[in-house]
């Protein structure tokens, strides 16, 4: 890598890449030295004091960072082990340093460069994940994209919202429907998987003078792994003028040659949120919300587009990483994750007392399963598991303990095999 850096004409860029590599090596080497000390704890001298007047060199500063990453004296050094992110991780981290450097360019050069980075990354993601003619919003917090989509849907359905603000919502309250498999805390309504029930719910809301606004469907979550009937939900949304947004780990499989019909239907939704960082093992890259809308004025007021170069530069770490991996590398990582999950699922089916909770996802990178044990008096349909003779009260306590444990872990143990670098 160093020999290649010497060929770069811009000395600042070459130095930036070299410094990042050296900094990461220092931190990783320091981590190894700490581990070799067999759990030796940090001493109070590692705690930083007042700012020194003469300044410190880079090695001293990085050593201080290393000490801070370990925590205080009472923490075990191994509890904050630095992950070996590999060269592809260095590329992603370089994007943040490079973004700060690019921001110092003159206004016209900065505009052209940021526009190119944004358009390239948007085009690549839309083609990789089969979302034709889409726009992209890059955001650090995963749920931020959905929040902006909510604003866009409100601006689209309430013409006077810009002038009157939230006052226009009082007469006709907007309703957001969520999949029962969605992450908790996203809204007020839960959408039952029975589409007929959902349609009845929508009709009831309309009769009460409310406005069905947005439906958030699920294409696999780490907690459930289930994919909603997105095709049918899309038909329902078109019928009642509802915006359809899809999120979930199974959207990663849109990059593969074979995609299940349930997930493929997500390509027709109004918007979807992707998380390429966890999917591809890339640190500090943004999440992406792809969407389709014809009015640039509304997307601007909703915060999905921006004229600020800093906002456009959010895509830079991902722009660098996608080029480093290439299309083949991206597909291979997602394919590998799916293959691992299928192997685990087939092995778990042979194990007694283990029940696979989601078996209809043929190419999902997530496996959801739970432990179960039949006790005397339980459902005879399940395979009986021999248990020692117990008094009725003991049986009840045992059953209650198993049920409580399963509820505590949301009745599922989840394994996700998305790529993690060595």
């Amino acid at each position: 890598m160093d020999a290649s850096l010497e060929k770069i004409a811009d000395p600042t860029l070459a130095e930036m890449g070299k410094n990042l590599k050296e900094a990461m090596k220092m931190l990783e080497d320091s981590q190894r030295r700490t581990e070799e000390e067999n759990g030796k704890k940090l001493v109070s001298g590692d705690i930083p004091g007042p700012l020194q007047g003469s300044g410190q060199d880079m090695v001293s500063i990085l050593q201080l960072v290393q000490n801070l990453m370990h925590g205080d004296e009472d923490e075990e050094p191994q509890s904050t082990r630095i992950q070996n992110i590999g060269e592809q991780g260095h590329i992603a981290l370089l994007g943040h340093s490079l973004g700060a450097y690019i921001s110092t360019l003159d206004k016209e050069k900065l505009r052209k460069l940021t526009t190119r980075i944004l358009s390239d990354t948007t085009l690549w993601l839309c083609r990789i994940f089969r979302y034709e003619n889409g726009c992209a919003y890059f955001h650090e917090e995963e749920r931020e994209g959905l929040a902006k989509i909510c604003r866009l849907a409100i601006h689209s359905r309430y013409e006077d919202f810009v002038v009157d603000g939230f006052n226009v919502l009082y007469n006709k309250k907007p309703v957001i429907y969520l999949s029962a498999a969605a992450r908790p805390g996203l809204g007020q309504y839960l959408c039952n998987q029975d589409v007929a029930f959902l349609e009845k719910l929508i009709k009831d809301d309309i009769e009460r003078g409310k406005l069905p606004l947005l439906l958030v469907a699920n294409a696999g979550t780490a907690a459930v792994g289930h994919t909603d009937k997105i095709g049918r939900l899309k038909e329902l949304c078109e019928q009642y003028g509802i915006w359809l947004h899809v999120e979930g780990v199974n959207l990663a499989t849109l990059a593969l040659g074979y995609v299940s019909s349930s997930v493929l239907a997500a390509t027709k939704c109004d918007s979807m949120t992707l998380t390429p960082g966890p999917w591809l093992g890339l640190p500090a890259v943004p999440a992406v919300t792809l969407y389709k809308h014809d009015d640039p004025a509304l997307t601007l007021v909703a915060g999905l587009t921006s004229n600020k170069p800093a906002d456009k530069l959010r895509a830079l770490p991902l722009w660098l990483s996608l080029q480093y991996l290439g299309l083949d590398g991206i597909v291979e990582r997602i394919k590998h994750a799916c293959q691992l999950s299928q192997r685990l699922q087939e092995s778990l089916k042979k194990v007694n007392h283990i029940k696979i909770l989601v078996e209809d996802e043929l190419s999902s990178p997530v496996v959801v399963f739970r432990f179960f044990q039949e006790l005397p008096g339980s459902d005879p349909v399940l395979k009986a598991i021999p248990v020692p003779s117990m008094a009725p009260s003991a049986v009840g306590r045992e059953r209650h303990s198993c049920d409580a444990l399963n509820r505590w872990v949301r009745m599922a143990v989840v394994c996700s095999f998305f790529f993690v670098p060595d």
Side-chain angles (χ1 to χ4, degrees):
M1 183 175 177
D2 291 337
S4 300
L5 288 173
E6 293 177 357
K7 299 178 182 179
I8 298 177
D10 189 326
T12 305
L13 286 179
E15 188 68 17
M16 189 181 303
K18 179 181 178 182
N19 287 342
L20 177 64
K21 183 179 180 181
E22 292 179 351
M24 295 303 299
K25 187 176 185 302
M26 287 180 188
L27 292 175
E28 291 166 358
D29 290 345
S30 180
Q31 172 74 33
R32 282 190 289 270
R33 288 195 301 270
T34 301
E35 291 177 346
E36 291 171 358
E37 293 177 357
N38 297 321
K40 180 180 178 181
K41 295 183 178 180
L42 300 174
V43 296
S44 59
D46 292 320
I47 300 176
L51 182 63
Q52 297 184 13
S54 59
Q56 301 185 65
D57 58 28
M58 181 62 70
V59 175
S60 300
I61 296 173
L62 288 175
Q63 182 60 53
L64 175 59
V65 172
Q66 168 69 20
N67 294 344
L68 293 174
M69 291 171 68
H70 274 295
D72 58 33
E73 297 179 4
D74 297 328
E75 293 183 356
E76 291 293 334
Q78 291 83 353
S79 64
T80 53
R81 178 181 175 84
I82 298 176
Q83 182 182 0
N84 181 12
I85 60 175
E87 187 167 329
Q88 69 179 40
H90 291 177
I91 293 292
L93 296 178
L94 177 62
H96 294 275
S97 300
L98 191 57
Y101 174 59
I102 289 175
S103 65
T104 64
L105 297 175
D106 67 76
K107 188 175 181 179
E108 184 60 23
K109 286 184 178 180
L110 180 60
R111 183 190 64 79
K112 290 181 178 179
L113 183 54
T114 55
T115 300
R116 171 64 183 274
I117 292 170
L118 185 63
S119 60
D120 280 355
T121 314
T122 300
L123 177 63
W124 297 337
L125 290 172
C126 287
R127 288 183 175 177
I128 291 171
F129 296 102
R130 307 183 187 214
Y131 197 75
E132 297 180 1
N133 302 318
C135 302
Y137 172 66
F138 299 87
H139 44 99
E140 302 300 329
E141 211 286 320
E142 186 175 332
R143 300 187 183 189
E144 184 183 347
L146 179 55
K148 301 294 186 184
I149 289 297
C150 286
R151 293 181 61 182
L152 177 60
I154 289 175
H155 281 285
S156 300
R157 297 297 301 276
Y158 293 88
E159 296 180 357
D160 298 328
F161 184 78
V162 175
V163 177
D164 298 332
F166 288 98
N167 291 328
V168 302
L169 306 182
Y170 291 151
N171 295 330
K172 206 168 190 179
K173 297 180 180 179
V175 183
I176 298 175
Y177 305 89
L178 303 180
S179 166
R183 297 167 297 169
L186 284 178
Q188 300 178 358
Y189 288 88
L190 292 179
C191 162
N192 191 286
Q193 292 312 301
D194 186 343
V195 179
F197 178 85
L198 171 62
E199 185 170 14
K200 181 179 183 302
L201 183 62
I202 293 173
K203 290 179 178 178
D204 290 344
D205 287 330
I206 294 175
E207 290 178 359
R208 293 169 184 168
K210 298 179 181 180
L211 178 64
L213 181 71
L214 174 70
L215 191 152
V216 183
N218 174 64
T221 63
V224 182
H226 172 78
T227 296
D228 294 332
K229 300 175 182 178
I230 299 176
R232 180 68 184 93
L233 292 176
K234 177 58 179 175
E235 295 174 359
L236 199 63
C237 288
E238 289 180 342
Q239 180 180 349
Y240 291 97
I242 302 173
W243 185 287
L244 176 61
H245 179 85
V246 183
E247 58 180 31
V249 295
N250 287 342
L251 292 176
T253 62
L254 290 172
L256 303 180
Y258 169 78
V259 186
S260 65
S261 58
S262 58
V263 177
L264 188 61
T267 60
K268 304 301 181 182
C269 66
D270 298 296
S271 59
M272 66 169 69
T273 294
L274 312 175
T275 53
W279 297 351
L280 302 175
L282 300 171
V285 299
V288 186
T289 293
L290 301 179
Y291 65 94
K292 296 176 182 177
H293 201 271
D294 297 330
D295 192 337
L298 289 184
T299 58
L300 181 62
V301 73
L304 287 165
T305 55
S306 173
N307 294 322
K308 297 179 181 179
D311 292 337
K312 295 181 180 181
L313 282 173
R314 288 179 189 167
L316 182 56
L318 195 52
W319 184 78
L320 295 171
S321 300
L322 293 178
Q323 292 184 88
Y324 178 82
L325 293 173
L327 179 60
D328 293 342
I330 294 168
V331 172
E332 181 59 33
R333 280 160 175 75
I334 297 174
K335 181 179 179 182
H336 182 62
C338 295
Q339 290 173 340
L340 287 177
S341 70
Q342 292 306 305
R343 290 181 184 178
L344 174 63
Q345 183 164 298
E346 292 302 318
S347 298
L348 289 174
K349 288 180 179 179
K350 302 174 183 177
V351 179
N352 292 330
H353 326 325
I354 294 292
K355 179 178 178 60
I356 303 296
L357 297 186
V358 180
E359 298 190 47
D360 59 338
E361 309 298 340
L362 300 179
S363 58
S364 173
V366 175
V367 179
V368 185
F369 61 94
R370 69 175 172 128
F371 169 80
F372 73 95
Q373 180 178 12
E374 180 173 309
L375 299 171
S378 60
D379 188 349
V381 176
L382 298 176
K383 181 179 179 181
I385 299 174
V387 296
S389 298
M390 297 183 185
S393 59
V395 172
R397 288 195 300 271
E398 185 73 15
R399 182 184 293 111
H400 176 75
S401 298
C402 291
D403 290 344
L405 178 60
N406 271 326
R407 285 196 300 269
W408 183 67
V409 297
R410 298 177 62 84
M411 300 191 70
V413 180
V414 182
C415 288
S416 178
F417 285 104
F418 278 124
F419 179 80
V420 177
D422 296 330

